[in-house]
Amino acid sequence: TDPAKIRNFCIIAHIDHGKSTLADRMLQITGIVDDRSMRAQYLDRMDIERERGITIKSQAVRMPWELNGETFALNMIDTPGHVDFTYEVSRSLAACEGAILLVDAAQGIEAQTLANLYLAMENDLTIIPVLNKIDLPAADPEKYAKELADLIGGKPEDVLRVSGKTGMGVAELLDLVVEKIPAPVGNADAPARAMIFDSVYDAYRGVITYVRVIDGALKPRQRIQMMSTKASHELIEIGVSSPEPIPSQGLGVGEVGYLITGVKDVRQSKVGDTVTDFTKPATEALPGYTDPKAMVFSGLYPIDGSDYPVLREALDKLKLSDASLNYEPETSVALGFGFRCGFLGLLHLEIITERLEREFGLDLIATAPSVPYEVTTEDKKTVTVTNPSEYPSGKITRVSEPLVRAGILTPKDYVGTIMELCQSRRGNLLGMEYFGEDRVEMKYEIPLGEIVFDFFDHLKSRTQGYASLDYEEAGEQDSDLVKVDILLQGEQVDAFSAIVHKDKAYAYGLMMTERLKKLIPRQQFEVPIQAAIGARIIARETISAIRKDVLAKCYGGDITRKRKLLEKQKEGKKRMKMVGRVEVPQEAFIAALQGD
Ligand code: GDP
Ligand code: MG
């Protein structure tokens, strides 16, 4: 295809502003999906995406569009809208020349609208501002067109108004895409260079790699090389999605499509990497490749210990399709055998746990999420601690924790309550900016460790769901952090250790000891439950002793009843964990980890 006839664009929006629905309408209006096979969120292929209504993996679709008697090829790249997947969003954007900035006409600009817009501007994309859902009775297009025009510069009249639901305005939008977004440019005679912006695992075909060709061309049976890993493969198939895969004779400058090489592991085909020709390689890779970093860690344990091999196999399988998932075996006194897993963020953690439970039938317990801390000991050694129970013993000279820069967009009435929340999470207010008459963006620097633990829930409940949050990494800071251990009769219970700020250590200790006192049944002897920082006890509860004589209730006679009781007791014991001499039902650990 002549590059002049190609337009590459993406749709960026806050979650739920209607990106997937608009994409559906485009598929229909351009005729590549007929009305009969149309189903909602056509491009969101994973079950979990469809059920939660979110897009996890981006997809690219080629659509024909005619304007003034000429046919253009529009490549639409759907991007995930959530903060955890910022790296994927930014790679998708780098594959485009333009972006449709979609805003719900009943909601206005939100935190991820801004975050995505900034990413698009960093990539020099042409922005087309669009208000969606104008069919809604609550829509206020006048107000929000002005808000949007103020944000990106321009006139409110130039903000297009559409409804992804009814299809109104969508054809005009596609015309605008052709008119406003620049055609791709590249050197057709140079050695091939294509950027990988997505890589998905398919059980039948292996890894399917989505690329945007910058220079040169890629052809079937060509031998290609990945520039970061130097791995080389033969192209078994190359083509475009429209939206089903259609093999082609090759992809040239500016084209977007997929490659299949038969590899089985997405780590061989990394998002952000450059594909080149093996025999005539390009000298310089395209900019932008980085390994996404795990920022949230949690231990995943099967509730039924015999499921451990199933869990291992399930993680191995998920890893094939998700290169950002990390895990290694871990054992815990309280929870048995499991894995310490690293995730991009909280949503990523939730999605993986849900997929493990749903697709592999596992029942799992996840330990409280933790972030990576850099801990320096007296002998000047620094280690990265992702699991509180591996915190070095002995004298600690320095602890640093990851920071994020958070943007919170809220109606101005909630500014006070949000400040309170952020202060209680050790946040540092960097600035505030007004949008329109009634909304404010508050910028905070906050330790990531304070955000991963129920921050979002608190933000939502304090603002009746109106505030939205986005954040990006912002380096590290030294902090007064300590490890709090929880002890049962002097024995440490690993899964309950936590790294917290010095000022919060006491509250954590108190909460956990109280919680455990309620959950752990009385034993034959007295059991102290203590919270400690090193050797210093900071909180204590005691479970008093009982003489547990189950047979005493049976009045001697009834032998079968006695036997039944004994069996029942034995069964109960199977799910008991021993911490030193103390017997604790596994349920108690699970309940304590889950909180209220
Ligand atoms: P995404 O998260 O940006 O992909 O948003 P979705 O496309 O999944 O849409 C979120 C919700 O808004 C869904 O319930 C859609 O049915 C609804 N929605 C999307 N577009 C429109 C529209 O134009 N009008 C109305 N009334 N609802 C819409
Ligand atoms: Mg979506």
Side-chain angles (χ1 to χ4, degrees), residues 194 247 301 311 380 397 485 574 592:
Y301 291 84
L311 176 58
K380 299 212 164 49
T397 52
D485 291 317
K574 274 194 284 187

Side-chain angles (χ1 to χ4, degrees), residues 498-572:
I499 297 171
V500 295
H501 191 263
K502 197 176 75 225
D503 296 346
K504 295 183 177 181
Y506 179 69
Y508 178 80
L510 210 60
M511 173 194 73
M512 285 309 282
T513 47
E514 276 173 6
R515 207 181 263 177
L516 285 171
K517 183 181 180 185
K518 285 196 204 113
L519 291 166
I520 296 175
R522 299 161 99 192
Q523 317 267 320
Q524 316 276 14
F525 42 86
E526 197 179 85
V527 179
I529 308 171
Q530 295 162 310
I533 300 173
R536 187 161 58 89
I537 304 298
I538 56 169
R540 178 186 165 124
E541 294 279 347
T542 308
I543 304 171
S544 52
I546 47 153
R547 265 217 71 79
K548 187 169 65 172
D549 189 353
V550 283
L551 300 184
K553 293 194 201 93
C554 295
Y555 314 111
D558 188 346
I559 261 298
T560 50
R561 190 168 164 193
K562 240 186 222 178
R563 192 173 299 133
K564 255 194 205 141
L565 258 175
L566 282 170
E567 258 159 32
K568 221 174 172 183
Q569 201 187 25
K570 221 162 66 195
E571 225 172 72

Side-chain angles (χ1 to χ4, degrees), residues 19-20 41 44 53-55 78:
K19 195 157 57 85
S20 299
Q41 303 191 339
D44 295 346
I54 55 172
T55 306
D78 192 17

Side-chain angles (χ1 to χ4, degrees), residues 15-21 41 53 132-133 135-136 163-165:
I15 197 153
D16 280 347
H17 280 203
K19 195 157 57 85
S20 299
T21 308
Q41 303 191 339
N132 188 31
K133 307 196 190 182
D135 61 290
L136 284 178
S163 165
K165 189 173 174 188

Side-chain angles (χ1 to χ4, degrees), residues 371-431:
V371 301
Y373 297 98
E374 300 285 328
V375 182
T376 309
T377 46
E378 217 172 3
D379 50 7
K380 299 212 164 49
K381 281 206 194 94
T382 299
V383 288
T384 305
V385 177
T386 60
N387 181 349
S389 71
E390 282 163 10
Y391 198 78
S393 51
K395 197 166 155 46
I396 306 292
T397 52
R398 208 189 112 228
V399 188
S400 85
E401 60 179 342
L403 279 179
V404 296
R405 198 163 301 124
I408 299 169
L409 208 77
T410 174
K412 64 173 189 284
D413 293 350
Y414 299 113
V415 164
T417 180
I418 292 174
M419 279 185 165
E420 233 170 57
L421 173 65
C422 290
Q423 253 150 35
S424 77
R425 301 302 179 103
R426 299 189 283 130
N428 179 17
L429 183 62
L430 302 175

